[in-house]
Amino acid sequence: MAGIDTESPVPKYYQLKEIIRDMIEKEELRAGQAIPSEREFCERYGISRMTARQAIMELVNEGLLYREQGRGTFVAEKKLQQEAARLTSFTQDMRDRGMRPSSRVLELEMEPAGPVVARMLGVDRGIRIVRLRRVRDADGEPMALETSHLLYEVAKDVLDVDLSKRSLYEELGKVGVRMSRAEQSYEAGLVNEAEAEHLGVPAGSPALLIERITFDQNDRPFEYVKSTYRADRYRVTTVLYPQ
Ligand code: GLP
């Protein structure tokens, strides 16, 4: 069994990550199986609780492990393609990370498309748009602020649904809207005054700004979204393959 080399310049938490990764690779730990507790790792490798916690936390963030509240930490299913570029909703994204999603609806308005939204969605200005602004929480803590601009034509059937409790994408799925792809960009930024209050962090805190245009099964862009994620809480991982 590989151990932790205390002489090595490689941080101990990183070594533990590699050990766990290896156990999964060799199927000593299988998908759905609980991993040893932090305490067991500490005893087995003579490391501190903090070291074990960091290793496990990073593997959860990378999607290799997932947590279930009150039950423990488990090995995730291998989802290679999905990890690479998965088109998920916030709800699913949080569930995959072992967290409980919820939302607070700040605005739900019908309005004519302005120049930016019209350009992003490839429609004429003035076309009817639904603007949905939500604080997105994970385990009851604010994670992101998200403003979606949806084609009214597509969103009209889900407007009666309580979007503070339900997933927009799941509801759209129920009325036959299938997502075929999305174009997404990430940018570093800062939380502004107006956002700070909703996100529960001081203005000027680091943020990850995410923009997405989502296409339906007919390759029609139906959603343009701008989100501000708390950079202290949220991290994106991507698997890269050689060409
Ligand atoms: C993510 C996407 C948004 C999308 C949202 C739907 O956050 N970036 O573009 O609108 O998910 O979330 P849900 O289905 O959880 O309501």
Side-chain angles (χ1 to χ4, degrees):
M1 180 181 67
I4 299 238
D5 179 359
T6 48
E7 305 292 310
S8 164
V10 179
K12 286 186 213 144
Y13 84 89
Y14 193 87
Q15 293 188 47
L16 179 58
K17 273 177 76 178
E18 293 303 300
I19 290 173
I20 300 174
R21 228 189 265 282
D22 203 46
M23 289 165 86
I24 295 172
E25 197 70 29
K26 291 187 180 137
E27 300 205 332
E28 291 163 20
L29 285 173
R30 289 168 189 273
Q33 198 179 333
I35 64 160
S37 66
E38 281 175 19
R39 194 172 43 78
E40 284 173 67
F41 279 124
C42 296
E43 282 167 9
R44 198 185 290 181
Y45 298 109
I47 51 175
S48 72
R49 194 84 176 213
M50 236 172 64
T51 303
R53 190 166 302 158
Q54 184 169 3
I56 293 169
M57 190 188 71
E58 290 201 4
L59 290 171
V60 168
N61 288 344
E62 287 171 28
L64 221 69
L65 303 177
Y66 65 95
R67 282 202 178 105
E68 276 192 13
Q69 227 162 8
R71 289 195 57 222
T73 308
F74 301 83
V75 178
E77 292 287 342
K78 245 195 194 155
K79 295 177 192 158
L80 285 185
Q81 210 183 330
Q82 295 180 327
E83 277 170 17
R86 222 147 63 97
L87 172 46
T88 55
S89 66
F90 180 86
T91 302
Q92 203 179 344
D93 189 8
M94 291 307 121
R95 283 185 189 146
D96 288 350
R97 291 164 195 246
M99 300 172 114
R100 185 178 43 81
S102 60
S103 305
R104 279 169 284 151
V105 177
L106 302 178
E107 290 163 31
L108 178 60
E109 308 283 349
M110 244 76 79
E111 61 185 22
V116 175
V117 173
R119 181 159 46 82
M120 292 299 175
L121 293 178
V123 293
D124 291 336
R125 277 189 212 187
I127 232 154
R128 210 168 185 200
I129 294 292
V130 175
R131 179 164 47 84
L132 169 64
R133 189 157 179 255
R134 287 181 291 176
V135 180
R136 317 292 325 249
D137 294 336
D139 286 344
E141 211 196 333
M143 180 72 94
L145 199 62
E146 188 165 74
T147 308
S148 308
H149 304 86
L150 298 143
L151 290 181
Y152 174 79
E153 200 35 47
V154 173
K156 62 180 190 307
D157 295 331
V158 301
L159 294 180
D160 289 340
V161 173
D162 181 358
L163 290 171
S164 64
K165 296 204 173 60
R166 305 238 175 221
S167 156
L168 171 67
Y169 279 9
E170 278 173 24
E171 294 303 319
L172 286 173
K174 288 182 196 164
V175 297
V177 181
R178 303 265 169 270
M179 278 130 241
S180 60
R181 68 191 167 96
E183 289 169 6
Q184 186 152 290
S185 69
Y186 302 89
E187 212 176 324
L190 300 175
V191 173
N192 67 30
E193 290 281 348
E195 295 163 338
E197 194 189 321
H198 295 300
L199 290 176
V201 292
S205 301
L208 185 63
L209 311 179
I210 305 184
E211 273 191 49
R212 176 186 289 188
I213 299 174
T214 320
F215 297 75
D216 69 8
Q217 63 268 45
N218 304 316
D219 216 28
R220 165 172 65 164
F222 71 92
E223 178 193 53
Y224 168 54
V225 185
K226 285 186 80 155
S227 319
T228 303
Y229 278 76
R230 282 175 52 175
D232 61 330
R233 299 285 284 117
Y234 189 78
R235 173 174 167 188
V236 179
T237 58
T238 315
V239 180
L240 305 176
Y241 296 96
Q243 288 266 303

